[in-house]
């Protein structure tokens, strides 16, 4: 069917009629907004009281003064605590924490990606069972899982005993950086695997088939189709591993030594033993800022790439 | 458009089942920090007891219109009335209408019977009466014996019936149907068209049926409204709208149409691109460009040179393409314009005795002048 | 020709309604597949061996953990004579239950108001709810410690009420970090709920409350249960925040055990640990069993990545 000339543009319809009366939309939207705010109010108040307000108090403490007895004087406001953030010891601890967290994230990704990929290739029935097996550690008590490594790596634990038995002598494993990173990887691996699995599982395999059909090798298809499409899982998993690794307390306390102090333990020490609350508060603020910046930067970078 | 606005007022003396008065709906377009006008100053009356179809391409505002009647959306401007009562910002649960949703929206955690009973339960209908009415409704849509099934275990057609029963059991004054047959395959869709039409006649409930399928709208409705870009383009019975499309949009959207640009010779005659002068029902002042619509099935093909009878008009051309459709054959005929190619399509029933043409053959196309519609745009 | 393995499963999968086809051909083949499989089982070994060793050692009849001295239930029996453990356990359960109930109710309300309504302050609230996800435990512990110090001072000064650190402060603290997690889990579920179902309920005369009660809530129940399970687990896992806001006599089990562990490894701690592990796994297994036919809705709902 061929029409010949293009139809003239429909005439603008601006007659002499007065504007139509306003409809009920605005009123209805307002009523809905009121209801939404009403439902949101209890949790909002909770979050303000238990999160926003405490954040403000920490900010206040961070510029207060430590009295001679260790009591914090809410007077003589100063930025000394922030200045101390630049001391070599603090920088060393912060650097170590960042390094360990980055290493942990990378290791979790290196172990978790092929693992999650392998899970998605299992038969559906088997996969369901394996998935439960992955989730069980996720739901298991974190403290106990870390404690297990303390038992395993301990000087009279099975690994050291076995190494000694085969003539490798006294190997010290516990209280080393190795033990801390191992513990972090062990603790947070499920946080990496599960988001990865879920983004890989959602992947439409017909896309991979299309890539192969268009001449890509298995590896090329992976690099150009599977990997880019699984990136949301990589981002989510990395954030979920990096954040708790950076602020970790239990793992370095149980598996590390004095030379592997991380920021988490350092902050706790300011409150429980050194009793320097302003400095501890400044440290907490700094951690928060770093976390916020890292998360935002990471998401931004990933957004740009995709 | 409002002056010549298509407004078929309701039958004198009765209140329209649904009427929209200057209804405009704008949605914020968050990305562009702008607004989208989904429905633009719509005036519409649906007569009580009729099967009314709202027809248009996707995005034309027909579903938004329906949702404003149901109460899921509220007009930015204007008002919605149901049986004479202004709805204002009355929520859906307090409107005397029920909806059959596009994807049925059956509650997946309830059985068929529980789904159907839901509306009665919410209105606290007595248990015995509710049970009886649910059984009736399930019977009505021919689903007896499936009361205990879960929606997920039903076929698409059965789910559609449950959705229908769930709405009808409440005896609404108006039933709103949002592309109810869209998800069904062709054969089932055709069967359901007949069934829906029979149900509507049986129950006497006003149906407002939203669809983008012109055949569905033509086959089922008593009256239909064609919408485009948020506006009403034409309202009328299927025959009126199909045979006398007001605009190029309506002509193209409903069925197939040959759209030709001609030049007015006088009030009753126009000159086609090939120079032939033919008759029209009502024309424009001489010299003006006139847009015509000619339905392919109203054209006849005869051998070139066949004398033209006085009550017919005709042009000559060459068969450029042939489409074989089994029950019909379509011939695209190129007119002798001497300039850019102008094709006119004729659709001939594939009946015994119809002479088959071949590509390149010279033919004469002829028609009665009243099958030519002059379009407004 | 090692390419076409598992065709039997392909055929079965295709026959079932809704099952996805398993295109085996585009999967890694040969050596790559064997490497992946090997890596897969090694990773499982990595995840489970430490736990299995711990369980085995908890039955070891030897004070020296590394030397096997035969199987015994002796350490589990000796737990019976440690009343402190039972006090800590009771505290933990009270805190976990109360904070979970509160956090689940608040988190669900937050999810609904954020997902289903547009209101002023919504975006700010959304941001506030994102904070707990990125604030490390220690920072949160500091925040809550200082909050309660100030609040208790204020109560004493203004009302003359002498409230102390204890189960109350612990419970509130657990609510503080759990509301956001429940909200995230429930919201993920809500986002996948077809809004037309709620419209259908309204169309069938259900007002807002009855729509929620009869349609929304039953359909997001796995998400709510998943959020609650997550809250319960996080509450029972927490060491850092609790140790900051606990008072005398209000130690929870993880904090108590953490203190013991710091001093060294003993068969007694092994036994407690195994019981704690069994407890948390039992929780998951029960949830899985309760929702077995729906593929363990709660357990899966709360897992990151499904969110």
């Amino acid at each position: 069917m061929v029409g010949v000339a293009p139809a003239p543009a429909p005439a603008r319809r601006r007659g002499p009629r007065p504007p139509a009366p306003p409809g009920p939309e605005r009123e209805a939207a307002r009523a809905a907004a009121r209801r939404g705010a009403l439902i949101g109010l209890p949790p909002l108040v909770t979050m303000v009281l238990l999160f926003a307000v405490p954040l403000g108090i920490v900010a206040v403490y961070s510029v207060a003064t430590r009295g001679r007895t260790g009591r914090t004087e809410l007077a003589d406001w100063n930025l000394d605590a922030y200045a101390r953030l630049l001391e070599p010891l603090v920088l060393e601890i912060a650097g170590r924490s960042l390094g360990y967290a980055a290493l942990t994230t990378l290791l979790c990704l290196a172990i978790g990606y092929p693992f999650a990929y392998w899970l998605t290739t299992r038969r559906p029935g088997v996969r369901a069972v394996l998935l439960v097996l992955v989730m069980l550690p996720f739901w298991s008590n974190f403290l106990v899982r870390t404690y297990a490594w303390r038992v395993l790596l301990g000087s009279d634990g099975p690994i050291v005993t076995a190494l000694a038995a085969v003539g490798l002598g006294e190997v010290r494993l516990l209280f080393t950086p190795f033990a801390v990173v191992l513990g972090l990887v062990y603790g947070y691996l499920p946080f990496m695997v599960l988001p990865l699995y879920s983004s890989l599982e959602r992947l439409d395999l017909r896309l991979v088939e299309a890539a192969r059909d268009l001449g890509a090798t298995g590896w090329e298809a992976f690099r150009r189709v599977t990997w880019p499409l699984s990136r949301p899982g990589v981002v989510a998993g990395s954030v979920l591993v990096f954040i708790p690794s950076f602020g970790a307390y239990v793992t370095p306390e149980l598996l590390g030594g004095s030379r592997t102090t991380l920021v988490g333990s350092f902050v706790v020490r300011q409150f429980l033993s050194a009793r320097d609350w302003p400095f501890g508060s400044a440290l907490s603020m700094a951690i928060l800022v770093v976390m916020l910046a890292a998360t935002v930067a990471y998401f931004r970078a990933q957004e740009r790439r995709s | 458009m409002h002056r010549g606005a298509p407004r078929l007022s309701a039958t004198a003396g009765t209140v329209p089942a649904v009427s929209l008065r200057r209804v405009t709906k704008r949605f914020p377009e968050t990305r562009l920090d702008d607004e989208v006008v989904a429905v633009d100053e719509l005036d519409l009356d649906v007569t009580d007891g009729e099967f009314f179809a709202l027809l248009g391409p996707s995005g034309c505002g027909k579903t938004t219109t329906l949702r404003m009647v149901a109460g899921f959306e509220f007009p930015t401007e204007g008002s919605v009335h149901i049986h004479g009562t202004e709805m204002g910002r009355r929520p859906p649960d307090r409107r005397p209408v029920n909806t059959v949703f596009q994807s049925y929206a059956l509650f997946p955690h309830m059985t068929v019977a529980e789904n159907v009973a839901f509306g009665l339960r919410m209105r606290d209908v007595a248990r015995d009466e509710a049970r009886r009415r649910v059984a009736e409704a399930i019977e009505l849509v021919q689903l007896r014996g499936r009361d205990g099934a879960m929606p997920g275990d039903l076929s698409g057609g059965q789910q559609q019936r449950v959705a229908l029963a769930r709405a009808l059991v409440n005896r609404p004054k108006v039933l709103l149907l949002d592309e109810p047959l869209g998800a069904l395959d062709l054969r089932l869709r055709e069967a359901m068209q007949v069934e829906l039409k029979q149900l509507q006649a049986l129950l006497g409930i006003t149906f407002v049926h939203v669809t983008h399928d012109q055949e569905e709208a033509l086959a089922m409705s008593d009256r239909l409204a064609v919408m485009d870009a948020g506006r009403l383009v034409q309202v009328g019975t299927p025959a009126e709208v199909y045979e006398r499309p007001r605009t190029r949009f309506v002509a193209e959207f409903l069925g197939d149409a040959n759209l030709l640009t001609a030049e007015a010779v006088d009030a009753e005659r126009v000159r086609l691109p090939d120079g032939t002068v033919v008759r029209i029902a009502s024309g424009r002042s001489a010299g003006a460009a006139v847009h015509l619509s000619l339905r392919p099935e109203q054209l006849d093909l005869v051998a070139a040179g066949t004398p033209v009878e006085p009550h017919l008009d005709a042009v000559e051309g060459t068969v450029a393409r042939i489409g074989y459709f089994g029950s019909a054959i379509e011939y695209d005929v190129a007119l002798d314009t001497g300039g850019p190619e102008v094709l006119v399509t004729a659709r001939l029933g594939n009946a015994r005795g119809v002479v088959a043409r071949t590509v390149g053959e010279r033919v004469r196309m002829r028609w009665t002048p009243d099958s030519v519609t002059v379009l407004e745009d | 020709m090692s390419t076409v393995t598992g065709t039997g499963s392909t055929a079965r999968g295709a026959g079932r309604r809704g099952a996805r086809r398993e295109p085996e051909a585009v999967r890694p083949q040969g050596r790559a597949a064997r490497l992946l499989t090997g890596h897969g089982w090694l990773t499982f070994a990595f995840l489970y061996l430490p736990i299995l060793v711990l369980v085995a050692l908890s039955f070891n009849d030897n004070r020296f953990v590394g030397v096997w001295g035969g199987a015994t239930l002796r350490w589990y029996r000796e737990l019976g004579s440690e009343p402190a453990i039972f006090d800590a356990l009771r505290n933990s359960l009270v805190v976990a239950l109360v904070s979970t109930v509160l956090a689940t109710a608040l988190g669900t309300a937050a999810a609904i108001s954020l997902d289903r309504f547009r209101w002023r302050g919504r975006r700010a609230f959304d941001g506030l709810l994102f904070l707990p996800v990125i604030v490390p435990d220690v920072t949160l512990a500091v925040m809550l410690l200082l909050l309660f110090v100030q609040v208790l001072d204020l109560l004493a000064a203004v009302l003359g009420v002498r409230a102390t650190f204890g189960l109350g402060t612990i419970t509130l603290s657990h609510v503080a970090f759990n509301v956001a997690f429940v909200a995230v889990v429930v919201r993920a579920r809500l986002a996948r709920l077809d809004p037309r179902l709620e419209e259908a309920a309204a169309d069938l005369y259900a007002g807002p409350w009855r729509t929620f009660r009869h349609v929304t809530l039953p359909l997001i129940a796995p998400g709510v249960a998943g959020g609650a399970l997550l809250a319960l687990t996080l509450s029972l896992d927490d060491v850092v925040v609790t140790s900051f806001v606990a008072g005398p006599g209000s130690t929870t089990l993880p904090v108590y055990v953490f203190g013991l562990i710091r001093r060294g490894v003993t068969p007694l701690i092994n036994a407690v640990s195994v019981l704690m592990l069994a407890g948390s796994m039992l929780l998951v297994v029960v949830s899985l069993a309760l929702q077995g036919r729906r593929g363990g809705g709660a357990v899966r709902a709360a897992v990151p990545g499904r969110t």
Side-chain angles (χ1 to χ4, degrees), chain C residues 11 15 17 27 45 63 79 104 119 121 138 148 159 175 182 194 214 231 246 267 271 303 305:
Chain C
R17 197 158 48 93
R27 293 303 197 184
R63 274 210 176 274
L79 283 182
T104 304
W119 46 285
V138 275
F148 290 127
L159 298 173
V175 170
V182 174
D194 182 1
H214 291 291
V303 152

Side-chain angles (χ1 to χ4, degrees), chain A residues 7-299:
Chain A
R12 285 299 295 155
R13 194 163 54 88
R14 278 290 162 258
R17 281 215 295 191
E25 178 191 58
R26 186 179 293 256
E27 276 293 298
R30 231 179 255 153
R34 267 196 302 273
R35 182 178 299 140
L38 202 67
I39 296 170
L41 197 63
L44 178 58
V45 169
T46 308
M47 290 305 291
V48 167
L49 289 182
L50 293 177
F51 232 96
V53 169
L55 208 55
I57 298 179
V58 173
V60 169
Y61 267 75
S62 70
V63 292
T65 311
R66 177 177 185 265
R68 233 171 302 134
T69 55
R71 251 194 89 85
T72 305
E73 312 283 349
L74 293 177
D76 298 332
W77 310 107
N78 61 77
L79 291 174
D80 295 355
Y82 286 99
R84 285 183 59 197
L85 292 179
L86 298 176
E87 286 175 4
L89 174 68
V90 181
L91 290 181
E92 184 197 322
I93 290 172
R96 186 184 298 131
S97 297
L98 281 174
Y100 283 19
L103 185 60
T104 302
T105 309
L106 275 178
L107 285 171
C108 281
L109 191 59
I111 298 171
Y113 198 98
F115 181 59
Y117 185 91
W118 174 72
L119 285 176
T120 63
T121 65
R122 300 297 89 195
R123 276 190 286 124
V126 177
R127 205 192 303 166
V129 176
L130 294 183
L131 202 60
V132 171
L133 285 179
V134 179
M135 279 189 281
L136 269 183
F138 170 82
W139 289 107
S140 301
N141 192 285
F142 185 83
L143 176 65
V144 171
R145 289 201 297 132
T146 310
Y147 171 70
W149 280 105
R150 183 157 176 146
V151 174
L152 276 176
L153 299 177
S155 54
D156 58 350
I159 294 179
V160 172
T161 314
L163 288 179
V166 295
L168 281 173
E170 279 285 291
V171 186
R172 198 173 126 93
L173 295 174
L174 204 57
F175 311 131
T176 61
F178 164 77
V180 175
V181 174
L182 178 68
L184 290 172
V185 170
Y186 183 71
Y188 299 125
L189 183 60
F191 289 57
M192 180 66 87
V193 172
L194 293 166
L196 280 176
Y197 172 81
S198 117
S199 72
L200 282 168
E201 189 204 24
R202 268 197 293 263
L203 185 87
D204 186 350
L205 285 175
R206 282 172 305 181
L207 298 176
V208 183
E209 285 182 324
R212 296 300 297 273
D213 183 59
L214 296 169
T217 64
W219 169 248
E220 282 170 337
F222 171 78
R223 201 168 63 84
R224 295 188 182 278
V225 177
T226 309
W227 170 258
L229 288 174
S230 63
R231 205 175 282 146
V234 175
V235 175
S238 302
V239 169
L240 285 172
V241 171
F242 184 84
I243 288 173
S245 304
F246 180 76
Y249 172 72
V250 168
T251 312
E253 281 297 308
L254 292 188
L255 303 178
S258 56
R259 302 239 304 270
T260 58
T261 304
L262 301 185
V263 283
S265 311
F266 193 56
V267 171
V268 171
R269 201 182 298 159
Q270 304 312 315
F271 284 88
L272 298 190
S273 50
R275 288 189 64 78
D276 190 344
W277 291 20
F279 182 49
S281 300
L283 275 170
S284 302
M285 294 302 289
I287 293 175
L288 188 61
V289 169
V290 169
M291 288 293 90
L292 212 56
T295 316
V296 170
Y298 203 54
F299 274 106

Side-chain angles (χ1 to χ4, degrees), chain B residues 31-314:
Chain B
R31 259 179 319 157
L32 300 172
D33 198 24
D34 199 0
E35 286 184 325
V36 175
V37 181
V39 176
D40 194 1
E41 293 229 7
L42 198 72
D43 278 303
L44 181 69
D45 284 311
V46 177
T47 310
D48 193 14
E50 76 177 333
F51 197 125
F52 191 88
L54 263 178
L55 175 66
S58 64
C60 73
K62 56 190 191 300
T63 293
T64 304
T65 304
L66 194 78
R67 289 170 60 79
M68 285 190 285
V69 177
F72 304 135
E73 311 277 358
F74 297 93
T76 314
E77 284 160 18
S79 55
V80 174
H81 307 255
I82 296 174
H83 281 277
T85 311
E86 184 178 349
M87 288 295 115
R89 58 186 187 89
R90 198 191 279 202
D93 50 297
R94 292 198 282 119
R95 296 191 181 205
V97 298
N98 287 110
T99 307
V100 176
F101 290 83
Q102 183 168 16
S103 47
Y104 317 136
L106 299 179
F107 304 125
H109 58 303
M110 298 181 194
T111 63
V112 167
E114 284 165 351
N115 262 284
V116 176
F118 191 86
L120 301 176
R121 209 167 123 212
M122 291 302 118
R123 284 200 299 184
D124 300 312
V125 171
R127 190 168 299 223
D128 283 350
E129 195 200 338
R131 197 172 304 142
R132 190 176 47 74
R133 279 168 68 177
V134 167
E136 267 174 28
I138 289 176
E139 177 90 44
L140 188 69
V141 298
Q142 300 165 30
L143 275 179
R144 199 156 49 145
R146 302 309 309 266
D147 312 45
M150 298 306 276
D153 298 331
L154 301 178
S155 69
Q158 288 173 324
Q159 290 185 21
Q160 214 272 328
R161 286 160 190 276
V162 177
L164 203 56
R166 185 178 72 172
L168 287 174
V169 75
N170 305 294
R171 297 172 187 157
K173 291 186 172 165
V174 180
L175 185 71
L176 309 174
L177 303 108
D178 184 7
E179 305 258 7
L181 309 180
L184 304 180
D185 63 48
L186 183 66
R187 197 170 289 269
L188 199 53
R189 194 156 67 222
E190 281 170 355
M192 279 310 289
Q193 283 179 10
V194 176
E195 225 173 288
L196 268 181
K197 183 79 188 134
Q198 284 174 344
L199 260 180
Q200 192 263 341
L202 177 75
L203 301 169
I205 295 174
T206 312
F207 277 31
V208 180
H209 179 118
V210 159
T211 180
H212 67 268
D213 182 334
Q214 39 107 5
E215 276 178 35
E216 195 173 295
L218 290 173
M220 296 170 79
S221 64
D222 297 323
R223 286 197 311 144
L224 60 90
V226 182
M227 283 186 76
D228 179 35
R231 294 178 210 156
L232 219 52
V233 186
Q234 191 170 2
V235 184
T237 64
E240 283 166 2
V241 177
Y242 182 79
E243 285 164 24
R244 287 277 168 256
R246 238 170 39 81
T247 66
R248 178 193 168 96
F249 173 81
V250 177
E252 279 187 305
F253 191 73
L254 268 87
D256 298 327
N258 291 297
L259 299 175
L260 296 172
T261 304
E263 186 193 324
V265 174
D266 54 38
E268 277 146 19
R269 291 179 309 157
V270 295
R271 182 173 292 118
L272 294 182
D274 65 337
T276 318
V277 172
V278 300
R279 286 163 286 180
I280 55 171
S282 65
R284 300 286 197 276
S285 51
V290 174
H291 301 279
L292 308 174
S293 160
L294 262 171
R295 296 290 185 193
E297 66 274 17
Q298 293 182 331
L299 302 179
D300 188 21
L301 281 192
V302 291
T306 308
V308 182
E309 291 157 61
H311 69 281
L312 298 177
D313 276 320

Side-chain angles (χ1 to χ4, degrees), chain B residues 324-337:
Chain B
Y324 182 79
F325 293 93
S327 66
I329 301 177
E330 284 187 3
Y331 295 97
D332 291 353
V333 175
L335 302 189
D336 306 325
T337 58

Side-chain angles (χ1 to χ4, degrees), chain C residues 188-205:
Chain C
R189 184 85 194 180
L190 264 179
R192 274 180 298 150
L193 179 66
D194 182 1
R196 274 173 211 259
L197 292 173
E198 285 159 323
E199 287 179 358
D203 188 63
L204 296 165
Y205 316 109

